[in-house]
Every structure is written in structure tokens, then in C-alpha cells.
């Protein structure tokens, strides 16, 4: 484990203590607005927002520490993950007024969502077809977005739409700021194994002014690529904390559960499985912290290999830990009473969203000239 400062250790300890007091054994909902406001009042939501925009200016490592601790503590603040991704985009490309309102709002507890995927454009982002046509000094948006996390609880949507070119081209994409309650936008929830976390967004003659452009017109692809470090690290840190929670829960269980006259954790088959999982989690932690440190050293550098590795490793490890933990707990691992089934559901989907494991492997392979 990389050395943390005394301030970072104290921060993690404070977050963990808050989670123990406020989250209990883990809520069923992914986002609790009242609890989120409490976290905002403590100043923790501004951990990665620059000080000159009202934030704490902690950097990527501090953000990962916060995300790991809240995921481990099962704190229901699911809206933070997409909000901090959006915050990174506004920090890099937003106008002064946009940065003031959006970054300040996120630090105060506003939730933001990003709309990129479409029914025919998931891993293939170049196939994006939702179009924003210039009109009357602004843009009229028509099309559909899907799998938009937290849009139903968001104050606003960071929309990636096509302003020129044709589907199949990376050029011609533009980022637009759209209030969640804006005329011409309809948000419809998608039922999933984890409840309502994602949404379809339907844009019908949705007019936004020219001031809604975030960054530059037709430069959305370049701006998206600049945010990959943040997005992949955020997902990795969340899954690191989730993996550690699954490990801690199953370890406590097998120490107490008795069969054949002794704790089941004393059997070699489970001891060895625990040893393997503990090793994988520690390797993942080192990779997450190291990659976050690299980002903090030079925030402007895109690290496709390192961030794809960290997203791949963290999500695959979390899924393995949760599934192995369920197996070790037997029928109780399947019961909602113990909460392991919830961890299984959240880790299984982690290898799909934010770029599938297969896509991450493709990216890694290409960085080696393959």
C-alpha cells in the first residue's frame, strides 16, 4: 500500500466512521437525498473540485479514498459517481460561469448525469446519432440516449450530441448542458437487477441556447477522451471498496459459522480461497492508488493503458470476490438478510458499464501496438 499522509488517513477514518453511524448494514436504495445533503454539509462532495471553484482541491487520490470508503461503508450516495465525472469535464472545458454554477452546485449536493450511450452506440461511441441542429441562436436536440445513470435524480444532464458529420465519425460531437426538467426532455427509468439506477432519455425538439455548449462545438470526442482518467478511476475505486466489503463480510461469517464441530473458516479450502481473494484485493488497491497518483502528477495527460488496466482489474476482482463470498456463505449468501446478494448484483454489472472488460482489454492490447 502506498504511504498516505496523516491528513488522508484521518479523512478516511472520518468517512468510515460516518458510514458506520449513518448507513448501518446497508440501505436498499442507491441514493438517499437527505443523507447526501449531510455529506455535502461536511464538505466531502467537493473533494476533487479545485479550491478556486469552492472545492477542497484534494485531487484524484483523495477522491479515490473517499469513493473506496463510502463504497465499503455502503453509503447510499450513488449520485456522486456521475456528478464527479461531470465535474471533471466542467473543470477542464466549462466557461467561468458554468464552472461557478455547476461545480459549486455539485459541491453543495447537486447530482449531475452524463448522457452518451444510445441504443446503437454503446462501446462504439462513433455511432452516436442523437443530433443537435443549430437553430435560432442555439440548438434543437432530437434523439434518444440510454443507460444514463442517475438522470432521474439529477439537476442537469451533460449531453453528448452530434452537431455535424454522420454516425461512424468521431468528429462532430458536442457537449451540451441540459436541465433535467427542460422542455422537450423526457426521462424514463429502466428496471434492472439493482433497481432504478439508469434511464432512457428522449429528446423531442428540445431547444438549448448557445450558452449551453460545454467546451467547443464539434470537439466533444476530444473532450470525452480527456475525461477517461477520471471515469475509469472512479469506477475502480468504488469497486475496490465494494470488494473489500464483500471480503470483510464473508470473513466475519466463516469465522462464526460452524459445521462438523468447528468454524468453516478453519477448513483448508476456505482458508486458501480467502488468501487468494485478499491478495487480489491488495493488488487492486495498489493499482488504484498508483494510477490516481499518476493522474495527480499530470492531470492533463491521458493514460489509456493504466486507466483501462485499473478499471479491468478492479471490476473483475470485485465480481470474483462477491461471487466467491456468496459461494462460501452457502444459502445465506443468497438471502437478503446478509446483504451479499446486493454486492453480487452491483459487482456483476461493473464489468459492463463504463466500458466493458472486453473493451478495456482491446484498449490495453492496442497500447502495445497490437
Amino acid at each position: 500500500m502506498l504511504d498516505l499522509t496523516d491528513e488522508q488517513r484521518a479523512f478516511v477514518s472520518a468517512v468510515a466512521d460516518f458510514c458506520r453511524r449513518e448507513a448501518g448494514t446497508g440501505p436498499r436504495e442507491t441514493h438517499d437525498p437527505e443523507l447526501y445533503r449531510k455529506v455535502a454539509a461536511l464538505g466531502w462532495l467537493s473533494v476533487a473540485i479545485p479550491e478556486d471553484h469552492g472545492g477542497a482541491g484534494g485531487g484524484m487520490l483523495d477522491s479515490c479514498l473517499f469513493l473506496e470508503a463510502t463504497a465499503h461503508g455502503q453509503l447510499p450516495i450513488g449520485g456522486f459517481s456521475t456528478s464527479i465525472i461531470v465535474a471533471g469535464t466542467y473543470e477542464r472545458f466549462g466557461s467561468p460561469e458554468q464552472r461557478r454554477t455547476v461545480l459549486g452546485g455539485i459541491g453543495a449536493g447537486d447530482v449531475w448525469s452524463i448522457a452518451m450511450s444510445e441504443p446503437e452506440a454503446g462501446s462504439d461511441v462513433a455511432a452516436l446519432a442523437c443530433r443537435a441542429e443549430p437553430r435560432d441562436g442555439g440548438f434543437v436536440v432530437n434523439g434518444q440516449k440510454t443507460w444514463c445513470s442517475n438522470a432521474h435524480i439529477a439537476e442537469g444532464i451533460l449531453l453528448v450530441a452530434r452537431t455535424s458529420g454522420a454516425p461512424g465519425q468521431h468528429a462532430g460531437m458536442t457537449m451540451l448542458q441540459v436541465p433535467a426538467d427542460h422542455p422537450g426532455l423526457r426521462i424514463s427509468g429502466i428496471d434492472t437487477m439493482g433497481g432504478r439506477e439508469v434511464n432512457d432519455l428522449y429528446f423531442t425538439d428540445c431547444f438549448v441556447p448557445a450558452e449551453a455548449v460545454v467546451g467547443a462545438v464539434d470537439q466533444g470526442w476530444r473532450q470525452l477522451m480527456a475525461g477517461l482518467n477520471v471515469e475509469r478511476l472512479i469506477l475502480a475505486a468504488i469497486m475496490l471498496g465494494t470488494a473489500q466489503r464483500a471480503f470483510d463480510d464473508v470473513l466475519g461469517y466463516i469465522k462464526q459459522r460452524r459445521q462438523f464441530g468447528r468454524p468453516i473458516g478453519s477448513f483448508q479450502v476456505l482458508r486458501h480461497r480467502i488468501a487468494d481473494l485478499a491478495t487480489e484485493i491488495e493488488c487492486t488497491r495498489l493499482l488504484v492508488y498508483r494510477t490516481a497518483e499518476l493522474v495527480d502528477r499530470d492531470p492533463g495527460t491521458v493514460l489509456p493503458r493504466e486507466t483501462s488496466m485499473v478499471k479491468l482489474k478492479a471490476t473483475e476482482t470485485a465480481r470474483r470476490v462477491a461471487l466467491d463470498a456468496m459461494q462460501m456463505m452457502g444459502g445465506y449468501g443468497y438471502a437478503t438478510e446478509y446483504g451479499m446478494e446486493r454486492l453480487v448484483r452491483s459487482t456483476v454489472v461493473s464489468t459492463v458499464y463504463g466500458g466493458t472488460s472486453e473493451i478495456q482489454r482491446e484498449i490495453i492490447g492496442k497500447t502495445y501496438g497490437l
Side-chain angles (χ1 to χ4, degrees):
M1 180 174 174
L2 297 179
D3 289 334
L4 302 178
T5 66
D6 291 341
E7 290 80 4
Q8 287 171 327
R9 293 183 187 279
F11 174 56
V12 171
S13 178
V15 174
D17 181 65
F18 181 87
C19 292
R20 283 190 291 270
R21 287 186 285 106
E22 299 288 345
T25 58
R28 302 305 299 175
E29 297 298 323
T30 60
H31 187 84
D32 183 326
E34 182 177 351
L35 193 56
Y36 199 57
R37 286 191 291 271
K38 289 184 180 180
V39 177
L42 292 168
W44 292 344
L45 300 184
S46 62
V47 61
I49 296 175
E51 291 180 334
D52 57 351
H53 295 112
M60 203 62 233
L61 178 55
D62 286 352
S63 297
C64 287
L65 293 173
F66 176 70
L67 289 161
E68 179 188 356
T70 53
H72 181 271
Q74 295 188 294
L75 199 65
I77 57 169
F80 183 67
S81 58
T82 49
S83 299
I84 196 172
I85 292 171
V86 170
T89 298
Y90 276 90
E91 179 187 342
R92 287 184 294 274
F93 303 109
S95 68
E97 176 62 18
Q98 288 173 340
R99 290 197 297 268
R100 184 185 67 81
T101 57
V102 175
L103 296 181
I106 289 174
D110 288 350
V111 173
W112 277 73
S113 178
I114 184 167
M116 183 178 65
S117 295
E118 298 178 4
E120 300 299 327
S123 299
D124 182 12
V125 181
L128 185 151
C130 179
R131 186 166 290 274
E133 297 282 354
R135 190 182 306 171
D136 300 327
F139 298 87
V140 175
V141 183
N142 283 283
Q144 179 185 353
K145 293 292 180 178
T146 192
W147 306 118
C148 300
S149 299
N150 301 315
H152 59 298
I153 58 173
E155 297 290 328
I157 312 295
L158 180 60
L159 168 68
V160 185
R162 183 167 293 284
T163 45
S164 67
Q169 300 175 347
H170 288 134
M173 301 180 192
T174 300
M175 291 182 170
L176 298 166
Q177 178 177 318
V178 185
D181 59 355
H182 204 57
L185 167 60
R186 180 169 64 89
I187 300 173
S188 178
I190 300 173
D191 291 330
T192 71
M193 289 172 61
R196 184 176 179 184
E197 301 172 286
V198 292
N199 306 267
D200 284 314
L201 273 58
Y202 299 93
F203 294 88
T204 305
D205 295 330
C206 180
F207 177 81
V208 294
E211 294 75 21
V213 173
V214 180
V217 174
D218 289 343
Q219 296 300 308
W221 173 256
R222 179 181 63 84
Q223 294 172 195
L224 278 173
M225 293 302 100
L228 289 180
N229 291 345
V230 173
E231 179 180 7
R232 292 172 185 166
L233 265 169
I234 286 169
L235 299 176
I238 291 171
M239 284 301 109
L240 170 60
T242 304
Q244 188 66 61
R245 177 58 183 248
F247 178 88
D248 291 346
D249 285 356
V250 74
L251 182 61
Y253 177 86
I254 65 173
K255 285 181 176 180
Q256 298 297 322
R257 173 68 169 169
R258 300 180 66 86
Q259 290 287 281
F260 307 103
R262 56 181 172 138
I264 62 173
S266 65
F267 293 105
Q268 185 185 70
V269 65
L270 295 191
R271 286 204 312 271
H272 286 190
R273 182 173 281 185
I274 285 291
D276 287 343
L277 296 181
T279 302
E280 290 301 308
I281 291 172
E282 194 59 25
C283 288
T284 301
R285 179 169 288 109
L286 289 169
L287 187 58
V288 170
Y289 290 7
R290 172 60 174 166
T291 306
E293 186 182 61
L294 290 174
V295 172
D296 284 338
R297 285 183 187 178
D298 188 358
T301 299
V302 179
L303 304 168
R305 179 185 299 171
E306 292 85 350
T307 54
S308 285
M309 283 181 172
V310 79
K311 200 276 180 179
L312 174 66
K313 179 65 175 177
T315 56
E316 292 285 345
T317 296
R319 181 174 66 173
R320 176 187 171 186
V321 173
L323 287 170
D324 279 11
M326 175 177 277
Q327 183 72 23
M328 285 187 277
M329 291 176 69
Y332 292 109
Y334 192 64
T336 58
E337 174 186 358
Y338 283 83
M340 189 58 68
E341 53 83 28
R342 181 172 179 266
L343 298 177
V344 168
R345 285 188 280 114
S346 65
T347 57
V348 165
V349 73
S350 73
T351 62
V352 175
Y353 60 52
T356 65
S357 292
E358 290 76 14
I359 288 294
Q360 304 308 325
R361 292 184 177 101
E362 278 291 296
I363 294 169
I364 295 166
K366 287 179 180 179
T367 68
Y368 286 101
L370 301 176

